[in-house]
Amino acid sequence: MKKERILEIKNLHACIDNISVIKGMNLQVNYGEIHAIMGKNGSGKSTLAKIIAGHPSYQITKGDILFDGETITKKDPADRSHEGIFLAFQYPVEIPGVSNIDFLRLAYNSQRKAKQERSLDPISFFELLSSKIKLIDMNENFLQRNVNEGFSGGEKKKNEILQMALLDSKLSVLDETDSGLDIDALKTISNSINLLKNDNKAIIIITHYQRILDYIRPDFIHIMQDGKIVHTGNAELAIQLEKYGYEYINSKQING
Ligand code: ADP
Ligand code: MG
């Protein structure tokens, strides 16, 4: 099967409040692939994730982002989401006064509306959601609670994966979905992500730690530094990083 490109980032430069954060980023992702992006704090990983999703605070000053071969830089976040881009936030927000199930149903039905499909009624939606919630081993009580309100760090992360499972997005960008998880939750979430992976999708995992990559094997690992990718390797790279730290990359750059 010929591999088709789902995402292409070309010489991207972006800033926030006139501070330049993304400085010449290039990335190519094909359908069926899992890419991991690693890098020190402040290297621009979350900024990149938010720019892909269309966060309005960031300005693209140069370069392009192509999704399914078309530029998306001028599209608003809702359109990007309807076209199949999903971002799991590093810091999921709490939405007091909105129950999780209402939020999920609204998101799901607005996606159906964009595809000119009929909304799902509450009962059919609940059936669909129940199948997804089992997949990630989450208690149904979380559906009646307000979105992320009082959820533990790990519960918030699971809730993001529930959204990912429900929206069935083509490109999922998971920003530090593993941070704050205990080992059981990490295994469950990794399993769910592996189950959601197929040839019609791609996943970008942003992480600090090699441990999630023990459960989800990436096709490529990229290292970000100062707003761009400075090194790309295969799954073995994470093991070297764990052993030697990011200095390993710098030594490779010096020694070739
Ligand atoms: P990472 O996710 O790799 O830790 P971020 O993308 O969160 O890094 O941040 C990259 C850089 O951009 C940091 O130096 C950060 O301080 C800066 N930055 C991000 N958002 C803002 C903002 N809203 N205002 C000012 N600087 C920001
Ligand atoms: Mg970050």
Side-chain angles (χ1 to χ4, degrees):
M1 193 188 93
K2 182 177 158 284
K3 282 202 165 178
E4 279 186 58
R5 181 126 319 151
I6 181 166
L7 180 76
E8 177 150 21
I9 299 180
K10 295 202 273 194
N11 191 28
L12 190 74
H13 292 250
C15 61
I16 181 158
D17 296 337
N18 293 322
I19 306 165
S20 172
V21 180
I22 301 297
K23 306 171 190 174
M25 172 87 194
N26 291 292
L27 180 67
Q28 286 132 25
V29 180
N30 294 323
Y31 277 93
E33 291 177 349
I34 297 183
H35 289 236
I37 299 182
M38 303 181 79
K40 288 184 187 170
N41 284 322
S43 53
K45 304 181 298 299
S46 294
T47 303
L48 177 74
K50 286 187 263 187
I51 290 174
I52 294 172
H55 196 295
S57 302
Y58 300 87
Q59 293 90 44
I60 294 177
T61 52
K62 203 171 165 186
D64 205 354
I65 304 174
L66 306 178
F67 178 67
D68 270 342
E70 278 181 39
T71 180
I72 54 165
T73 52
K74 300 232 157 45
K75 285 191 178 157
D76 72 36
D79 289 337
R80 297 186 201 199
S81 163
H82 295 150
E83 285 177 19
I85 296 178
F86 174 75
L87 169 61
F89 286 103
Q90 181 171 4
Y91 303 109
V93 288
E94 300 188 0
I95 314 178
V98 178
S99 79
N100 212 13
I101 190 159
D102 285 348
F103 172 78
L104 293 167
R105 191 155 64 90
L106 197 68
Y108 183 75
N109 279 335
S110 104
Q111 190 191 47
R112 284 182 63 108
K113 195 173 165 199
K115 288 192 227 157
Q116 273 145 25
E117 292 168 357
R118 276 198 10 245
S119 311
L120 271 197
D121 61 83
I123 293 172
S124 315
F125 178 73
F126 186 72
E127 280 171 12
L128 171 73
L129 192 56
S130 296
S131 68
K132 305 291 180 187
I133 205 166
K134 283 198 188 82
L135 183 80
I136 58 168
D137 193 26
M138 196 176 181
N139 192 309
E140 280 189 8
N141 297 342
F142 284 99
L143 296 178
Q144 305 308 331
R145 287 171 58 181
N146 291 336
V147 181
N148 289 327
E149 200 178 37
F151 288 27
S152 73
E155 288 161 354
K156 286 181 182 171
K157 299 293 176 148
K158 271 197 178 179
N159 211 28
E160 297 286 289
I161 299 304
L162 178 62
Q163 292 172 25
M164 172 184 168
L166 179 70
L167 295 174
D168 200 26
S169 305
K170 288 200 279 188
L171 175 69
S172 300
V173 182
L174 310 179
D175 192 359
E176 294 202 23
T177 298
D178 52 340
S179 63
L181 297 182
D182 60 52
I183 192 72
D184 290 337
L186 179 70
K187 278 188 194 165
T188 313
I189 282 192
S190 303
N191 267 336
S192 329
I193 295 170
N194 283 327
L195 288 172
L196 293 171
K197 185 206 166 189
N198 64 43
D199 283 346
N200 304 313
K201 289 186 171 50
I203 302 174
I204 298 176
I205 296 176
I206 295 173
T207 183
H208 265 305
Y209 304 106
Q210 184 244 334
R211 56 176 203 163
I212 190 172
L213 305 178
D214 288 340
Y215 301 103
I216 304 174
R217 197 172 168 82
D219 298 286
F220 299 97
I221 297 179
H222 310 280
I223 308 302
M224 255 186 107
Q225 203 171 290
D226 197 23
K228 59 178 174 296
I229 288 171
V230 294
H231 187 78
T232 294
N234 60 17
E236 308 309 316
L237 178 60
I239 297 162
Q240 304 298 326
L241 283 175
E242 188 77 359
K243 254 194 191 153
Y244 305 113
Y246 287 106
E247 287 311 309
Y248 173 74
I249 301 302
N250 294 332
S251 69
K252 268 194 93 85
Q253 283 172 332
I254 293 162
N255 301 321

